Amino acid sequence: MNWKHVHLIFMREMNDQLRDRRTLFTITILPMLLYPLLGMLMMQIAQFNREHTVRIRVVGAENWPAESPLLTDAQQLIPLAGLEKLTRLVEIEAVPWPQDGSPAARTKLVSNSRTAIMADVVDAVLLVEPDFQRLLQQRVASSSQALPASPASTPGESDLVQAETPQAQPDNEDGLELIANLARDNSKIAQNRLNVVLDQWRSNWVAQQLSAVGMNPRLVEPILLTETDTSVSSVRRAMLWSKVLPFVMLVWALTGAFYPAIDLCAGEKERGTLETLLSSPARRREIVWGKLLTISVFSVGSALLNLMSMHLTAGIIVKQLASQGSAQIAEALGPMPIHALGWLVLLLLPMAAFFSALALAVAALARSTKEGQYYLMPLLLVTLPLVALPMLPSLELNLGTSLVPVSGAVFLARSLIEGRYTEALVHLPVVMLVTACCCSLSIRWAIRQFESEAVMFREADRWSMKLWLHQVWRDRGETASPTEAVLCGVIILIGMFFAQFLAGSSIADWNAIVVSTVVVQIGLILTPCLLMAIFLTRSMRHALRIHRPQATHAAAAILIGIALHPSYMALGKGISQVYKIGDETASVLMYFQSLVMAQPLWTLLLLMAVLPAICEELAFRGFIFGGLLRQGGAVRAIVVSALFFGFTHPVLQQSLAACLMGLLLGLIAWRTGGVLCTIIVHAINNTLSLTLAWCAAHQVPLPVTLQWAISADGDEWSYQPEWIALSVFMSLALLVVLFRRNTETRQTVQAEMA
């Protein structure tokens, strides 16, 4: 690659972008103005967001016990200990209880209270029943019967209270009723504040009653927990900022990369300058690198400007809060740690390269600037969950999270910002490897987009359903197109998504399992491929990539299926250790396994080994793989078909293992030129898994001839470590033999397919 050409293209694109006022405003001016304006708006809103006084009407305040009052003589709440500020925010309107004590009068009182709340006269109404004080005395008397008589009490006191108690009970057994309208914020606030005051009053009243009978009032709250925070305030602030800053930075890095990418691809198509650039002596790879460097500069610049603007704005707001008396909030937020900016810059550089290459590849698909802007939302929908995942409090940096693209890098930055350097150093190689792979794949995809004439010179025309259907029927090929292959995979995933909910509530016996398996495999996976192969291609056999395999390929597939299974089982156990299966999922799997293992082995093999191997391979390594392989996209076909294959499995651990197996099956399908060899490998893998599990569940004695390769440990059969290591080398050797295909082999396969 000629880096001089790359430099010339980079300078050309930078000059064009610096002359574009829209790009400059979006990338530079907007970040500098956004956060100060947001800060000013928040400070203005904070003035209206202060705590306001609520109005509470107390009906029957005279019925409250005089020895422990709730209201003062000035008809205000008693300022209980620790609630002085809250009681000042409550305005009390005391109203006497009606003289008429009939049920009709009480019903009218409740109705009037609701009307007053709806008319916004008061925010809440507290009804104190006339029998409230008597109910309290009754409860004290009933509880004192179980206690020894104190010197201050007389033997017949409790009996006197019991005798004077009337038989009629009030409508409210507790003697209190709070009426509020929870659909209004002020009424809900009034209810919460009054509940806090009543809880404190209740604790004080119980303490007084305990003291009256000679007991320790601390029994109300027998244990007082003393909390000691060993963290440093700077570390606490770093934890807060470590969750917010990476999210904001990466969102702006993606946004800052996408708009220049649209202008450098779709914009040049509209201006007619792309053809001139492509006809220059620079190679397509050099053009991509020049544009990629330009987009990366704007991506990094946009993210850095946002971070600096946020840093300055946050510092000003924290100082303002501290000066206004909000010291606790200012201490909790604090200024943005300076060392966090350094770690974020290190995170930004690889992520900006990844987002820039991804945005460039996506923008190359657009035929116009308007169409390119539509692609931003799907890209954000895919990226935002990965960026927001580290904000969850229950997730931390470990081997499982470090393997997740984008999220692993954010977890690493969080650990560095919070000062957990040992943890970050342990997982740094894994994160760097995953990030490097993502950057490499995205750059490779962008280069492939620029090397495709069909992508670069698509014309922007009006879409018509009739013309589109006519074009699809007229331009049918031997295999599906890449778009049709992806559409088929999406249809299968959508069907599997809804089938999971239906199957989860309907599987209760073996017959339901049989029906659901047949419906999923034939109805949801195979049928869409068959229908699309019939209507969208000229040859179903070519579309499904069905041809007679060579004898050597078939023999190699059989040996690979046998030799590969121990490695696959070890891989599944390793994934289960990294990503733990939840208890609920494990119980469902155990119940499902108990139903399945009770059936004859031959039934299981036909239903869960042979049928899935045929249907899934015809779909994923047949129709979808053949469509993605069109126009020379071997890597695209292997990776995308493996992802579709993995996502059809409902359990995460199974999906990861299936994705890795799908990569190998896709490689075999590409080298053999068909799907039958992958069916053999898939069927053998399923057969061996089911056979081992069935034999272990039925306590079948382990044959002596297999003890060198398999060990029986209770209800589980597993492979010996020696055989697992040997199977890895055997699988690699067989794959090497399978991949040694000369020109004569390719010609033979092409002749058979013709």
Side-chain angles (χ1 to χ4, degrees):
M1 186 166 57
N2 192 337
W3 288 101
K4 183 178 180 181
H5 292 168
V6 174
H7 179 263
L8 291 175
I9 295 172
F10 169 72
M11 296 303 299
R12 169 187 178 272
E13 304 298 352
M14 284 294 298
N15 291 330
D16 289 342
Q17 292 301 307
L18 291 176
R19 288 195 294 263
D20 189 354
R21 291 176 296 178
R22 294 174 300 178
T23 303
L24 287 179
F25 177 80
T26 304
I27 304 303
T28 59
I29 306 300
L30 181 60
M32 297 173 63
L33 299 178
L34 178 63
Y35 296 100
L37 292 177
L38 288 177
M40 293 176 58
L41 183 62
M42 290 175 59
M43 297 300 294
Q44 295 293 331
I45 293 177
Q47 299 178 7
F48 300 96
N49 198 31
R50 295 177 180 175
E51 295 180 328
H52 298 282
T53 303
V54 294
R55 300 157 296 175
I56 299 178
R57 176 182 294 175
V58 180
V59 181
E62 66 277 6
N63 301 326
W64 203 272
E67 65 274 9
S68 182
L70 180 67
L71 303 179
T72 63
D73 295 337
Q75 302 301 323
Q76 295 295 327
L77 289 174
I78 291 290
L80 301 175
L83 302 179
E84 294 82 359
K85 179 180 179 181
L86 187 144
T87 54
R88 289 196 299 267
L89 297 174
V90 178
E91 180 180 338
I92 298 296
E93 176 188 351
V95 176
W97 192 267
Q99 295 296 329
D100 187 3
S102 63
R106 188 184 186 283
T107 302
K108 183 178 180 181
L109 176 62
V110 173
S111 177
N112 293 337
S113 300
R114 293 178 177 177
T115 303
I117 294 174
M118 295 298 296
D120 201 21
V121 177
V122 294
D123 298 316
V125 176
L126 177 65
L127 302 181
V128 184
E129 303 281 353
D131 294 331
F132 176 63
Q133 187 172 0
R134 178 187 58 78
L135 290 173
L136 291 178
Q137 294 175 354
Q138 179 181 358
R139 293 181 178 179
V140 171
S142 61
S143 61
S144 63
Q145 292 177 357
L147 300 175
S150 61
S153 62
T154 60
E157 182 178 356
S158 299
D159 298 334
L160 181 62
V161 174
Q162 293 282 345
E164 294 178 353
T165 302
Q167 297 297 324
Q169 296 293 332
D171 294 337
N172 192 334
E173 295 182 358
D174 293 329
L176 292 178
E177 182 177 355
L178 178 61
I179 304 175
N181 183 7
L182 299 185
R184 294 178 52 231
D185 291 338
N186 287 341
S187 185
K188 189 174 183 179
I189 293 173
Q191 181 194 32
N192 294 335
R193 291 178 181 175
L194 189 57
N195 283 332
V196 172
V197 173
L198 291 178
D199 288 341
Q200 184 65 35
W201 181 90
R202 186 183 299 109
S203 299
N204 295 341
W205 181 81
V206 173
Q208 292 177 3
Q209 304 307 315
L210 292 176
S211 299
V213 296
M215 298 184 68
N216 189 352
R218 286 288 301 274
L219 290 175
V220 178
E221 193 174 359
I223 298 177
L224 295 177
L225 180 64
T226 302
E227 299 179 354
T228 302
D229 187 6
T230 60
S231 63
V232 185
S233 60
S234 60
V235 177
R236 292 196 301 269
R237 292 194 299 267
M239 289 185 63
L240 174 64
W241 288 110
S242 66
K243 296 180 180 180
V244 177
L245 292 180
F247 178 81
V248 175
M249 182 191 69
L250 293 182
V251 169
W252 274 106
L254 178 60
T255 306
F258 195 77
Y259 286 105
I262 294 175
D263 186 68
L264 293 179
C265 294
E268 288 210 58
K269 291 180 182 180
E270 291 181 334
R271 295 190 296 266
T273 58
L274 185 61
E275 291 83 353
T276 304
L277 181 61
L278 295 178
S279 61
S280 66
R283 300 168 57 188
R284 299 294 175 91
R285 182 184 301 269
E286 297 166 355
I287 295 175
V288 169
W289 275 101
K291 292 180 178 291
L292 180 62
L293 291 176
T294 304
I295 298 171
S296 300
V297 168
F298 282 93
S299 176
V300 173
S302 176
L304 288 179
L305 287 175
N306 275 274
L307 286 178
M308 305 220 16
S309 180
M310 182 186 292
H311 174 68
L312 295 176
T313 305
I316 295 174
I317 291 178
V318 168
K319 291 181 180 179
Q320 185 70 17
L321 291 175
S323 63
Q324 292 180 356
S326 302
Q328 294 181 351
I329 300 178
E331 175 65 20
L333 292 176
M336 186 185 304
I338 298 298
H339 72 279
L341 297 178
W343 295 122
L344 289 174
V345 171
L346 292 179
L347 169 66
L348 176 61
L349 295 178
M351 288 295 100
F354 172 58
F355 290 152
S356 299
L358 199 62
L360 183 61
V362 173
L365 296 172
R367 291 171 288 190
S368 62
T369 304
K370 183 178 180 181
E371 180 182 349
Q373 293 175 353
Y374 295 151
Y375 294 157
L376 177 60
M377 184 56 66
L379 191 60
L380 281 175
L381 291 178
V382 175
T383 308
L384 284 181
L386 298 176
V387 179
L389 184 64
M391 298 181 68
L392 297 178
S394 59
L395 295 179
E396 294 183 353
L397 181 63
N398 51 44
L399 181 58
T401 55
S402 62
L403 291 172
V404 181
V406 181
S407 299
V410 179
F411 277 115
L412 180 65
R414 273 188 53 185
S415 299
L416 292 173
I417 293 174
E418 295 171 7
R420 293 179 282 145
Y421 300 112
T422 303
E423 175 185 288
L425 185 62
V426 170
H427 299 94
L428 178 61
V430 178
V431 174
M432 291 182 61
L433 180 61
V434 173
T435 305
C437 291
C438 292
C439 292
S440 177
L441 290 175
S442 59
I443 294 173
R444 180 182 175 87
W445 183 31
I447 293 174
R448 291 298 302 271
Q449 294 288 80
F450 270 78
E451 291 176 348
S452 175
E453 300 292 339
V455 173
M456 299 307 297
F457 296 104
R458 291 195 304 165
E459 296 181 358
D461 51 0
R462 294 186 178 273
W463 186 79
S464 172
M465 174 65 75
K466 182 178 179 180
L467 294 178
W468 178 74
L469 292 175
H470 176 72
Q471 182 181 2
V472 168
W473 180 262
R474 181 194 61 192
D475 297 339
R476 290 179 302 160
E478 296 294 331
T479 61
S481 65
T483 303
E484 294 166 351
V486 173
L487 178 61
C488 180
V490 172
I491 292 174
I492 293 175
L493 291 182
I494 294 175
M496 294 294 296
F497 174 76
F498 290 104
Q500 291 178 15
F501 298 99
L502 298 178
S505 59
S506 62
I507 293 180
D509 53 15
W510 171 247
N511 293 329
I513 293 176
V514 173
V515 173
S516 63
T517 303
V518 172
V519 169
V520 167
Q521 294 296 328
I522 298 179
L524 299 181
I525 295 179
L526 185 59
T527 300
C529 300
L530 294 178
L531 293 177
M532 297 184 74
I534 292 172
F535 293 104
L536 300 180
T537 64
R538 298 182 183 274
S539 173
M540 180 180 294
R541 189 167 70 93
H542 289 172
L544 299 178
R545 307 184 75 245
I546 301 175
H547 76 278
R548 186 179 63 186
Q550 297 184 16
T552 55
H553 291 172
I558 295 173
L559 295 176
I560 288 174
I562 297 174
L564 188 66
H565 187 256
S567 304
Y568 182 76
M569 295 293 291
L571 175 65
K573 291 183 179 179
I575 292 176
S576 299
Q577 292 178 357
V578 174
Y579 300 98
K580 301 294 184 181
I581 299 178
D583 296 336
E584 183 177 354
T585 303
S587 62
V588 173
L589 293 177
M590 290 293 293
Y591 174 72
F592 179 81
Q593 186 177 1
S594 64
L595 292 177
V596 170
M597 291 302 150
Q599 309 306 318
L601 180 59
W602 68 270
T603 306
L604 297 181
L605 296 182
L606 287 178
L607 183 66
M608 297 186 173
V610 178
L611 181 63
I614 295 175
C615 296
E616 292 175 0
E617 292 307 313
L618 287 177
F620 298 108
R621 255 68 59 181
F623 185 83
I624 295 177
F625 188 91
L628 295 171
L629 191 61
R630 198 168 169 178
Q631 300 172 355
V635 176
R636 175 184 62 190
I638 294 172
V639 174
V640 176
S641 63
L643 292 176
F644 279 128
F645 175 61
F647 290 155
T648 55
H649 295 73
V651 183
L652 173 63
Q653 292 76 11
Q654 295 178 352
S655 296
L656 296 176
C659 282
L660 297 176
M661 175 60 77
L663 294 175
L664 180 60
L665 292 175
L667 202 58
I668 295 174
W670 174 54
R671 299 304 288 178
T672 59
V675 74
L676 295 182
C677 288
T678 61
I679 292 178
I680 295 174
V681 176
H682 195 159
I684 291 176
N685 186 77
N686 292 349
T687 299
L688 293 176
S689 297
L690 288 172
T691 302
L692 291 178
W694 189 89
C695 291
H698 289 268
Q699 301 292 329
V700 176
L702 181 63
V704 180
T705 56
L706 295 179
Q707 291 181 359
W708 64 274
I710 301 175
S711 62
D713 184 9
D715 295 337
E716 182 180 1
W717 281 19
S718 59
Y719 289 102
Q720 298 285 0
E722 298 82 3
W723 173 231
I724 294 176
L726 182 61
S727 69
V728 175
F729 293 103
M730 291 180 60
S731 301
L732 294 176
L734 290 170
L735 289 174
V736 171
V737 173
L738 184 63
F739 289 171
R740 295 183 59 184
R741 298 176 57 211
N742 52 23
T743 307
E744 181 180 354
T745 304
R746 295 191 183 94
Q747 293 175 354
T748 303
V749 173
Q750 294 174 359
E752 291 178 355
M753 294 186 65

